[in-house]
């Protein structure tokens, strides 16, 4: 194992590797650090290409040793949306489809890692607030690891997530508040020793699973990062994780210094990062009365706010808010144009790219990668079917 220590993301204070952690003493996320010089000796373009595909092949830059708790996480494909690109006059548009992972969302990568670590450390019970997908992934990997799970969701959490989470045997509660308020209750239980708190970025290993998106896309694109990445931003673990991954890849000699511009996409009904970005703030204030159809990015307050804003600014990207109508329109358009069903958060990302084109933030000939973080089939869709009485039907009129 190459993890040497963990580090407070704000103060740089060091913490011991190989044990459970939550936030640093400063109340900020911890980041896992590695002996990258050692990793370099065995982690090469060739060795990576020769390994069994999947997130676990990046072992030199992952915190676990031994058998992972795994449901067979595939490498997710990058798909060209040719007609969607053409509709807006762009030459290419790529989407990395994380909906192919177990439990139908990219949360599987993070929770596979967090649960693997928790099992290694002998954790018996995990608590988590969730808008849906994280709870389902926690419950699935928890079931596999023999760890009990307690999941608290806001009332607007999609029904399918709530029932799926319960199907894996988790204790699921639907509560009358936002995700950060559910998180406060989970924190209280953790302080009382009832369970281990696995909230976004309050546990350091989930991020290490999510950063694999960055490793994987670099390899898939021939070790050449795209010009821009558009990411649906709630707690921001994916964006922060990829930013960390690119640094590690460069230090390991696998990519050069070029970085993609990172675009954090939020819904107008919950856009704390966009507001902070536009004001030039380092931290983001809580967003009151958060509401959007894209529930995965309905996060009023993120503990990693400054890490999201730093990555976006350092990369030369931006934080962009999109209206609800544009989200639904984008989902509709891509489904009809390219046969690709985005989840609503993915629709927000496509809408964000369209807005960025119009504002001149990206060019029509740039290589842009969008993220679709969940399977579109997990969400309610409009019923556009028509009724038919078979005895009276004239096939020519259909
Ligand atoms: C959780 C989630 C997000 C937000 O991910 P973060 O990396 O935590 O910002 C986006 N889309 C979907 C579908 C999600 O489930």
């Amino acid at each position: 194992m190459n993890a040497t220590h963990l580090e407070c993301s704000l103060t740089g204070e060091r913490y011991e590797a190989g044990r459970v952690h939550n936030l640093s003493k400063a109340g900020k996320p911890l980041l896992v650090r590695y002996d990258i010089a050692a990793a370099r000796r065995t982690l090469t373009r060739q060795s990576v290409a020769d390994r069994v595909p999947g997130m676990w092949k990046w072992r030199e830059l992952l915190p676990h040793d031994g058998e992972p708790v795994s449901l067979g996480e595939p490498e997710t494909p990058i798909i060209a949306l040719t007609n969607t690109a053409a509709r807006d006059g762009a030459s290419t548009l790529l989407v990395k489809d994380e909906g192919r992972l177990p439990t139908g969302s990219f949360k599987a990568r993070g929770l596979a890692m967090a649960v693997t670590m928790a099992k290694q450390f002998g954790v018996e019970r995990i608590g988590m607030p969730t808008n849906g997908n994280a709870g389902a992934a926690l419950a699935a990997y928890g079931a596999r690891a023999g760890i009990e799970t307690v999941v608290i969701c806001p009332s607007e959490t999609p029904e399918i997530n709530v029932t799926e989470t319960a199907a894996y045997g988790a204790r699921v509660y639907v509560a009358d508040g936002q995700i950060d308020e559910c998180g406060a209750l989970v924190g209280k239980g953790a302080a009382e020793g009832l369970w281990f708190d696995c909230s976004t970025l309050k546990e350091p290993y989930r991020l290490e699973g999510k950063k694999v998106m960055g490793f994987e896309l670099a390899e898939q694109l021939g070790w050449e990062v795209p010009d821009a990445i558009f990411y649906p931003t709630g707690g921001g673990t994916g964006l922060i994780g990829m930013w960390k991954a690119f640094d590690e890849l460069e230090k390991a000699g696998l990519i050069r210094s070029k970085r993609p511009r990172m675009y954090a996409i939020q819904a107008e009904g919950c856009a704390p990062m966009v507001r902070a970005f536009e004001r030039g703030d380092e931290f983001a204030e809580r967003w009151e009365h958060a509401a959007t159809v894209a529930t995965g990015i309905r996060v009023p307050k993120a503990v990693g706010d400054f890490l999201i804003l730093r990555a976006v600014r350092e990369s030369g990207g931006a934080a962009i808010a999109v209206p609800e109508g544009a989200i639904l329109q984008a989902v509709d358009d891509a489904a009809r144009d390219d046969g690709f069903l985005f989840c609503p958060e993915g629709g927000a990302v496509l809408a964000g790219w369209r807005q960025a084109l119009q504002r001149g933030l990206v060019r029509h000939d740039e290589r842009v990668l969008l993220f679709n973080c969940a399977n579109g089939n997990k969400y309610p869709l409009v019923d556009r079917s028509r009724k038919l009485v078979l005895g009276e039907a004239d096939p020519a009129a259909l």
Side-chain angles (χ1 to χ4, degrees):
M1 188 183 72
N2 292 313
T4 52
H5 63 284
L6 291 85
E7 211 172 79
C8 173
S9 55
L10 187 68
T11 65
E13 190 188 354
R14 288 171 74 108
Y15 292 76
E16 200 187 323
R19 44 162 300 204
V20 281
H21 286 287
N22 285 118
L23 293 174
S24 72
K25 285 186 206 116
K28 298 297 174 196
L30 289 174
L31 301 174
V32 184
R33 298 300 183 200
Y34 299 88
D35 182 349
I36 298 195
R40 250 186 116 115
R41 289 197 282 274
T42 50
L43 190 75
T44 62
R45 290 182 179 187
Q46 192 55 51
S47 73
V48 163
D50 291 343
R51 291 180 184 178
V52 176
M55 61 182 280
W56 308 102
K57 75 177 184 183
W58 303 95
R59 54 184 173 264
E60 287 89 341
L61 297 174
L62 296 179
H64 84 117
D65 47 12
E67 271 300 296
V69 179
S70 171
L71 284 161
E73 302 70 30
E75 294 186 356
T76 61
I78 292 178
I79 300 159
L81 300 183
T82 313
N83 300 324
T84 305
R87 183 194 272 267
D88 284 285
S91 42
T92 60
L93 183 62
L94 302 172
V95 58
K96 189 158 172 64
D97 186 18
E98 295 282 303
R100 316 288 179 102
L101 285 156
T103 71
S105 89
F106 86 117
K107 296 291 195 303
R109 295 180 186 273
L111 273 313
M113 184 61 69
V115 171
T116 292
M117 297 304 284
K119 187 178 176 199
Q120 191 171 310
F121 300 140
V123 170
E124 289 171 357
R125 209 156 180 240
I126 298 179
M128 183 199 270
T130 181
N131 278 321
N133 287 324
L138 171 68
Y141 287 97
R144 212 163 167 79
I147 296 177
E148 266 183 67
T149 51
V150 180
V151 170
I152 308 181
C153 318
S155 55
E156 293 93 22
T157 303
E159 178 72 23
I160 181 76
N161 289 135
V162 176
T163 51
E164 182 191 0
T165 304
Y168 298 125
R171 294 239 301 276
V172 191
Y173 297 90
V174 177
D176 57 342
Q178 294 283 350
I179 187 168
D180 55 338
E181 296 164 322
C182 298
L185 184 61
V186 169
K188 192 156 175 263
E192 289 172 15
L194 298 174
W195 51 65
F196 179 68
D197 184 347
C198 206
S199 305
T200 302
L201 287 173
K202 292 186 181 165
E203 183 284 337
Y205 302 110
R206 242 172 107 179
L207 185 73
E208 297 304 290
K210 294 207 179 160
K211 80 177 179 188
V212 170
M213 293 191 293
F215 293 162
E216 207 170 280
L217 75 89
E219 186 193 13
Q220 287 172 317
L221 297 176
W223 303 106
E224 182 73 47
V225 297
D227 297 314
I229 287 180
F230 282 69
Y231 187 79
T233 306
T237 46
L239 194 149
I240 297 165
M242 282 191 275
W243 196 241
K244 182 174 189 281
F246 297 142
D247 267 354
E248 292 173 354
L249 286 181
E250 186 184 355
K251 290 200 183 100
L254 291 170
I255 60 167
R256 293 177 208 273
S257 60
K258 178 184 164 179
R259 292 289 183 278
R261 302 196 307 281
M262 305 297 284
Y263 292 90
I265 308 305
Q266 299 200 300
E268 279 184 358
C270 183
M273 296 306 139
V274 180
R275 185 171 60 189
F277 177 78
E278 286 172 355
R279 286 182 183 166
D281 291 345
E282 187 184 4
F283 298 96
E285 263 174 55
R286 184 175 197 270
W287 189 274
E288 300 302 328
H289 313 296
T292 170
V293 62
T295 46
I297 53 175
R298 195 188 53 213
V299 179
K301 177 87 188 142
V303 65
D305 51 359
F306 65 107
L307 298 172
I308 298 168
L309 291 161
R310 260 186 214 169
V312 166
R313 289 184 176 124
E314 273 176 32
S315 74
I320 293 175
V322 294
E324 294 295 291
I327 294 175
L328 299 172
Q329 187 66 51
V331 172
D332 239 50
D333 288 346
R336 285 163 185 257
D337 290 348
D338 273 306
F340 186 87
L341 190 61
F342 276 100
C343 62
E345 298 80 0
V349 162
L350 175 54
W353 171 72
R354 288 173 162 177
Q355 189 189 123
L357 269 182
Q358 278 170 9
R359 288 167 58 185
L361 299 175
V362 291
R363 292 197 320 266
H364 291 82
D365 61 349
E366 283 190 306
R367 198 183 202 192
V368 173
L369 182 66
L370 311 183
F371 268 83
N372 184 53
C373 287
N375 189 322
N377 290 315
K378 289 187 92 174
Y379 299 81
L381 295 169
V382 179
D383 182 3
R384 294 199 178 92
S385 63
R386 281 162 270 208
K387 292 281 169 271
L388 200 58
V389 180
L390 292 175
E392 299 162 11
D394 171 10
L398 299 184

